[in-house]
Amino acid sequence: MAARFLVVLLLLALPAAAQTRDTLSIGITQYPSTLHPNIDNMVAKSYVLGFVRRPVTAYDASWNLVCLLCESIPTLENGLAVRETTPDGKPGLRVTWRLREGLRWGDGTPITTADMAFAYEAGRDGATGIGPAEFYRSAYEFIAGDDRSFTLRFDRVTFEFASLGDFAPLPAHLERERWASEPRTYRTRTLYDTQPTNPGLWNGPYRVVQVQAGAAITLERNPQWDGPAPAFRRIVVRTVESTPALEAQLLAGQVDMIAGELGLPVEQAGALIRRTGTRFRAEYRPGLSYEHLDLNLDLPVFADRRVRQALLLGLDRAQIVARLFEGRQTVANTNVNPLDWPHDPDVRQYPYDPARAAALLTEAGWTPGPDGIRRDAAGQRLSFELLTTAGNRSREATQQVIQAQWRQLGVEARIRNEPPRVLFGETLSRRRFQGAALFAWVSAPESVPRSNLHSDEIPSAARNWSGQNYTGFRNAEMDALLEALPQELDREKRRVLWQRLQAIYAEELPSLPLWFRQDAHIWPVWLHGVRPTGHLNFSSLWAEEWRVR
Amino acid sequence: MIRLILWRLVQIAVTAAILSFCAFMLIALMPGDPIDLAIAGDPRLTSEDAARLRALHGLDQPVTARYLAWAWAVLHGNFGHSRLFAQPVATLLGPALLSSLALLGLALVLAVVSGVGLGALAALRPRAAPLVQGLALLAQAVPSFWLGILLIILFAVQLGWLPAGGEGGWRFLVLPVATLAFAHLASYARHAASALSVAMAEPHIRTARAQGAGEGRIVWRHALPNAGVPLLTIAALDAGSLVSGALITETIFARPGMGKLIYDAVMGNDFNLALLALLVVAVVTMLATLAADLAQRWLDPRIV
């Protein structure tokens, strides 16, 4: 009798428990600076916007370009992309996209070509304040077709032509007049920031219903969404910048999950899972964050590539990954991720080999001095600064190990750390670092590393300190490859170019590859269907697939 | 008295103006401007983009011209727009100030009440003095972030009595207020113990005892008002340091208050937000000092 009573109680309790899971609370460590989809570029913004608006195209979890708002990806084969000559006589492309039928903004207004035309006009106008405007410069003409189709004419041929990236529709019925009245102040008057709860701004499975600046953004189902109904009635994205505090909020039940895109470091996540047993699930997704050491190649100590090779051979990266990161980082051989199709598995590798490293240094003229530090013929010590972002515990621990391992080779690395804004805003961008800098690049699938490796991209006052070739790497063949790669539309021909690029990178080592970071996604056991991508089109773009079991 | 208040208000206005100029220059001297940081984070930003964005944000102007433009706008009631939060600065400051005032006000009251209580215990019961001194030492030695995490683990994670962070009703304030107050009660306990010991040895206390006054009345009516004068000064000065302490507490408990806002604004090169937030905190601190001075005069009319 008692057993039957318990079973009845349990059956009654189950639906109640399921009902309480109509809200999902997500913890992240950053707050978005704006909710405008086309202004500024920020991880937190991309994550939150993934729930509430959809771009035309995106890379999925398999790193393939897919349509989110369009009917099909334009290709030369399906005729939606056509080679042509620009008015200047250069080779160009004319690419057409067709929006899916039935797309609506959250207030019921249909999404049409007019919304794309407005986004294009706003982006083309320099006064709007959109950050990277290269796309709008290259797309020199917008041709409106019917209500659902539009064509862009590009002044160059690139293999990325089908991806519209951040170029997403903007609700012309709400924003056009506001923008047209004064484009220069539009970014301070846009409804995305002054009235973000206006449903007409959003076209995803959710819409924003509440914003608590710096703390939380609350989303609710968008009744106009035409795709599969999302499982949760409400999603609350909370910002908790301190990772110990974020972990505490997870344990206290104030957040249900921690997004791997902006969450705990892998080592903290591993410790959490060990302590909490089966309460949470962790998924570690290798991503496109490339941890490496940039070397200032203008310094005489790094002039000889044998020294750079010796420095890499003298690092036991596999051991560092095993000891500091529970083996959860992928050791890198070049800047191309092994999960990205252009990766060349046969590229030159540098397994830990201190004997070979020492021999290379001796060969390059660096012999051990009385204090154990190597010296060249002129008596110059093999000594340089080793910088990273102050306060980043993982990097600071890595830095200590690197210093110790190089010390065994007779190389002195003097640790000098700086806050991120000083390191990135001044020391690196002005190329004032006197040695090696440990940090990460985040990229997209098959991203051509022009800004890091092309000699035109070395920051200088003349180019407004733009460009990210902080090492000062100059290689004519690499420059030619970086120019040829984007223009090659044939994938197999591109593969050959990528192989050569990786071969030069591995031989010349302008930067010392360390590893590709993994993101630690922490979910409650009842949450299913989240597919981390490992790149900048985040899992939130497919939130309608998330389910409670 | 009115003349004194007016004179002090003029001093506050002048100090705020000088402070705004110094703060603007210091932030401008910090390495890297917002566009440098944007370039470092986005490889697609070209030289052309950098020049366009610097002109758009006025960063291509000399620092003094930018300061004068900012001051002119502020004098006309335009506090500008926050670059970090894409909101008018005035809109952001209101909720943050209220959040911080609730946190700091309650923490200050708790620190003063518990500190003075402990100080009185040490002064009146010498056998309890080592215990109070030990507690004060502990309060000074324990880092706020560590205490905050400990309290969260105990009361939010293990016992589940209180939320681990965020904003809401009074329950969300308990742990951050306790964390912040604990760090500050040490100075009140020590000063109260010392001031009360001195006050209790005064001749008028002996007279009160001789007249048959009870111990409670002696402390409350005769000793505490005398001991309270220096404590008021400490409380006024503490208002400023509480804001810096609030940064850690607000970060640990994920509360979007003034301390965190100022830190984010300075680190993110958000001039409009950083300057106004700093000025608000400075003016509040100066007004607190003025209030303490007036209270001291009220408590001790001999002060001129």
Side-chain angles (χ1 to χ4, degrees):
Chain A
M1 184 66 187
R4 278 187 193 171
F5 180 69
L6 276 175
V7 168
V8 170
L9 267 184
L10 192 64
L11 288 172
L12 286 171
L14 277 176
Q19 273 176 0
T20 58
R21 290 198 182 130
D22 69 343
T23 297
L24 179 70
S25 182
I26 305 171
I28 58 174
T29 54
Q30 192 185 55
Y31 187 81
S33 63
T34 172
L35 291 179
H36 195 293
N38 302 28
I39 294 176
D40 283 351
N41 198 14
M42 195 180 186
V43 174
K45 185 187 86 171
S46 302
Y47 185 76
V48 173
L49 291 191
F51 295 103
V52 291
R53 67 105 213 188
R54 289 293 144 90
V56 179
T57 60
Y59 287 94
D60 66 10
S62 307
W63 298 17
N64 293 317
L65 189 67
V66 294
C67 268
L68 294 184
L69 295 185
C70 52
E71 286 184 343
S72 57
I73 294 289
T75 63
L76 292 170
E77 291 72 28
N78 67 16
L80 291 173
V82 178
R83 285 177 185 270
E84 64 172 13
T85 305
T86 66
D88 302 339
K90 292 191 296 185
L93 275 173
R94 175 190 287 256
V95 189
T96 301
W97 285 265
R98 187 163 174 77
L99 299 173
R100 281 195 289 113
E101 197 172 357
L103 295 174
R104 289 181 184 281
W105 295 107
D107 59 2
T109 308
I111 299 174
T112 66
T113 303
D115 299 315
M116 298 304 302
F118 166 52
Y120 176 78
E121 278 178 60
R124 283 279 285 183
D125 190 329
T128 307
I130 286 176
E134 193 55 34
F135 173 86
Y136 297 99
R137 280 192 290 271
S138 173
Y140 64 91
E141 189 180 358
F142 180 96
I143 304 166
D146 60 20
D147 262 5
R148 292 197 287 127
S149 63
F150 61 95
T151 300
L152 286 172
R153 297 180 75 191
F154 294 97
D155 66 356
R156 68 196 67 162
V157 177
T158 68
F159 68 82
E160 295 168 307
F161 65 81
S163 166
L164 281 178
D166 295 338
F167 177 53
L170 292 175
H173 65 294
L174 296 175
E175 290 277 271
R176 178 178 274 283
E177 207 175 306
R178 197 168 272 261
W179 170 77
S181 65
E182 198 186 353
R184 198 177 169 80
T185 58
Y186 168 67
R187 62 179 294 142
T188 64
R189 293 180 295 108
T190 170
L191 289 177
Y192 281 103
D193 293 322
T194 56
Q195 201 189 99
T197 55
N198 188 322
L201 299 170
W202 312 112
N203 66 1
Y206 290 92
R207 61 189 179 86
V208 176
V209 294
Q210 195 184 357
V211 171
Q212 196 184 354
I217 296 174
T218 305
L219 321 169
E220 280 183 0
R221 282 190 197 124
N222 176 3
Q224 300 294 334
W225 168 248
D226 68 337
F232 299 99
R233 183 180 62 82
R234 173 180 281 227
I235 288 181
V236 184
V237 184
R238 294 186 194 283
T239 300
V240 184
E241 290 182 13
S242 150
T243 56
L246 181 58
E247 183 181 328
Q249 290 216 8
L250 180 80
L251 293 171
Q254 275 183 270
V255 298
D256 298 311
M257 63 173 271
I258 296 176
E261 289 87 348
L262 275 168
L264 306 182
V266 284
E267 61 277 18
Q268 190 181 347
L272 168 74
I273 294 298
R274 277 197 301 279
R275 279 201 314 274
T276 55
T278 56
R279 192 173 158 199
F280 301 104
R281 273 188 307 133
E283 178 159 323
Y284 299 91
R285 171 74 188 187
L288 280 163
S289 299
Y290 169 54
E291 291 281 352
H292 65 282
L293 286 156
D294 258 12
L295 308 175
N296 187 342
L297 300 180
D298 290 352
L299 300 176
V301 286
F302 299 132
D304 190 327
R305 77 172 170 213
R306 288 173 297 186
V307 173
R308 308 197 291 269
Q309 291 172 348
L311 290 175
L312 191 53
L313 283 166
L315 286 183
D316 193 350
R317 291 170 293 164
Q319 186 74 276
I320 297 174
V321 167
R323 293 292 171 90
L324 294 185
F325 304 107
E326 304 187 350
R328 295 195 189 281
Q329 317 281 29
T330 310
V331 172
N333 296 313
T334 68
N335 56 340
V336 179
N337 191 305
L339 294 175
D340 208 356
W341 74 264
H343 177 254
D344 180 7
D346 300 325
V347 75
R348 179 172 177 178
Q349 299 187 7
Y350 293 85
Y352 181 52
D353 189 346
R356 174 81 188 119
L360 268 175
L361 286 176
T362 308
E363 203 179 301
W366 296 94
T367 50
D371 58 354
I373 302 300
R374 290 173 182 268
R375 285 167 165 75
D376 64 7
Q380 174 82 27
R381 296 170 87 236
L382 186 45
S383 171
F384 52 85
E385 286 179 348
L386 178 58
L387 292 89
T388 194
T389 43
N392 184 319
R393 281 183 294 170
S394 301
R395 287 201 184 124
E396 284 171 346
T398 302
Q399 198 183 29
Q400 301 274 345
V401 181
I402 290 174
Q403 184 188 45
Q405 292 188 350
W406 279 348
R407 183 71 181 74
Q408 287 174 4
L409 275 183
V411 176
E412 183 185 59
R414 304 185 306 274
I415 288 176
R416 184 169 75 82
N417 293 339
E418 294 178 342
R421 63 159 292 161
V422 179
L423 184 68
F424 296 115
E426 182 87 8
T427 307
L428 284 172
S429 63
R430 263 57 169 180
R431 302 193 61 238
R432 289 184 182 148
F433 62 115
Q434 298 297 309
L438 167 61
F439 63 100
W441 289 126
V442 186
S443 64
E446 202 186 354
S447 175
V448 178
R450 179 188 164 92
S451 73
N452 314 136
L453 296 173
H454 198 290
S455 58
D456 283 353
E457 299 286 338
I458 299 171
S460 65
R463 47 176 292 122
N464 292 307
W465 303 109
S466 64
Q468 294 173 324
N469 187 349
Y470 301 144
T471 63
F473 181 59
R474 289 177 179 84
N475 182 296
E477 190 184 356
M478 180 65 90
D479 286 354
L481 280 167
L482 292 166
E483 281 155 22
L485 250 172
Q487 296 174 38
E488 180 52 68
L489 301 190
D490 185 289
R491 189 170 161 131
E492 285 314 306
K493 287 182 184 165
R494 224 160 53 235
R495 187 191 298 278
V496 176
L497 298 177
W498 273 111
Q499 282 172 346
R500 184 64 197 138
L501 182 148
Q502 290 167 81
I504 296 173
Y505 192 97
E507 189 64 28
E508 293 294 329
L509 292 178
S511 307
L512 305 185
L514 295 178
W515 43 79
F516 288 97
R517 263 198 332 239
Q518 293 195 4
D519 295 332
H521 299 259
I522 312 288
W523 303 319
V525 287
W526 43 264
L527 181 66
H528 291 264
V530 185
R531 288 188 299 152
T533 62
H535 53 70
L536 292 172
N537 290 145
F538 298 132
S539 56
S540 53
L541 275 173
W542 291 271
E544 65 272 27
E545 296 174 6
W546 298 9
R547 288 287 174 263
V548 178
R549 275 187 213 152
Chain B
M1 180 67 93
I2 290 173
R3 180 181 285 183
L4 172 81
I5 293 172
L6 286 175
W7 174 236
R8 290 290 296 274
L9 289 176
V10 170
Q11 283 181 323
I12 288 172
V14 172
T15 310
I18 295 170
L19 186 71
S20 74
F21 179 76
C22 296
F24 196 99
M25 292 300 154
L26 283 173
I27 297 174
L29 284 174
M30 284 174 71
D33 66 25
I35 309 306
D36 287 324
L37 295 173
I39 290 168
D42 193 337
R44 297 170 303 167
L45 277 167
T46 62
S47 166
E48 205 175 337
D49 292 330
R52 174 175 56 83
L53 292 172
R54 280 207 175 89
L56 189 67
H57 294 286
L59 295 169
D60 55 346
Q61 301 295 313
V63 182
T64 44
R66 281 157 54 197
Y67 173 74
L68 290 174
W70 173 83
W72 183 252
V74 166
L75 287 174
H76 287 79
N78 176 9
F79 298 111
H81 211 78
S82 161
R83 201 183 53 77
L84 277 185
F85 294 96
Q87 299 279 328
V89 167
T91 312
L92 283 168
L93 280 185
L97 191 60
L98 281 179
S99 170
S100 283
L101 283 179
L103 173 64
L104 303 183
L106 287 171
L108 189 62
V109 168
L110 185 62
V112 170
V113 169
S114 52
V116 170
L118 286 169
L121 183 69
L124 303 175
R125 301 275 183 276
R127 289 173 65 184
L131 187 70
V132 171
Q133 279 171 358
L135 192 66
L137 195 67
L138 190 71
Q140 261 181 334
V142 171
S144 289
F145 71 89
W146 187 71
L147 178 66
I149 293 285
L150 278 188
L151 292 178
I152 288 172
I153 290 171
L154 179 62
F155 291 103
V157 178
Q158 298 296 334
L159 300 171
W161 293 349
L162 293 164
E167 278 202 309
W170 64 270
R171 296 173 69 244
F172 288 81
L173 272 168
V174 175
L175 295 183
V177 164
T179 305
L180 198 54
F182 189 69
H184 285 260
L185 71 82
S187 60
Y188 294 107
R190 284 195 173 142
H191 281 96
S194 148
L196 274 171
S197 297
V198 172
M200 292 297 281
E202 293 283 327
H204 69 278
I205 300 290
R206 271 205 309 277
T207 309
R209 275 207 183 98
Q211 287 174 343
E215 202 64 13
R217 183 184 167 84
I218 287 171
V219 172
W220 189 247
R221 291 290 302 275
H222 301 287
L224 210 51
N226 283 324
V229 174
L231 288 176
L232 271 173
T233 310
I234 296 167
L237 294 174
D238 221 17
S241 64
L242 269 168
V243 175
S244 51
L247 164 63
I248 296 164
T249 316
E250 284 167 356
T251 304
I252 291 291
F253 292 96
R255 293 180 63 84
M258 290 297 284
K260 181 128 182 15
L261 203 66
I262 291 172
Y263 177 80
D264 288 343
V266 170
M267 297 312 284
N269 234 329
D270 190 340
F271 276 83
N272 291 339
L273 183 57
L275 281 171
L276 202 64
L278 279 168
L279 280 183
V280 166
V281 170
V283 168
V284 166
T285 309
M286 288 189 281
L287 288 175
T289 313
L290 174 60
D293 286 351
L294 296 176
Q296 280 177 345
R297 281 175 169 77
W298 176 68
L299 278 173
D300 188 350
R302 289 172 300 177
I303 298 173
V304 287

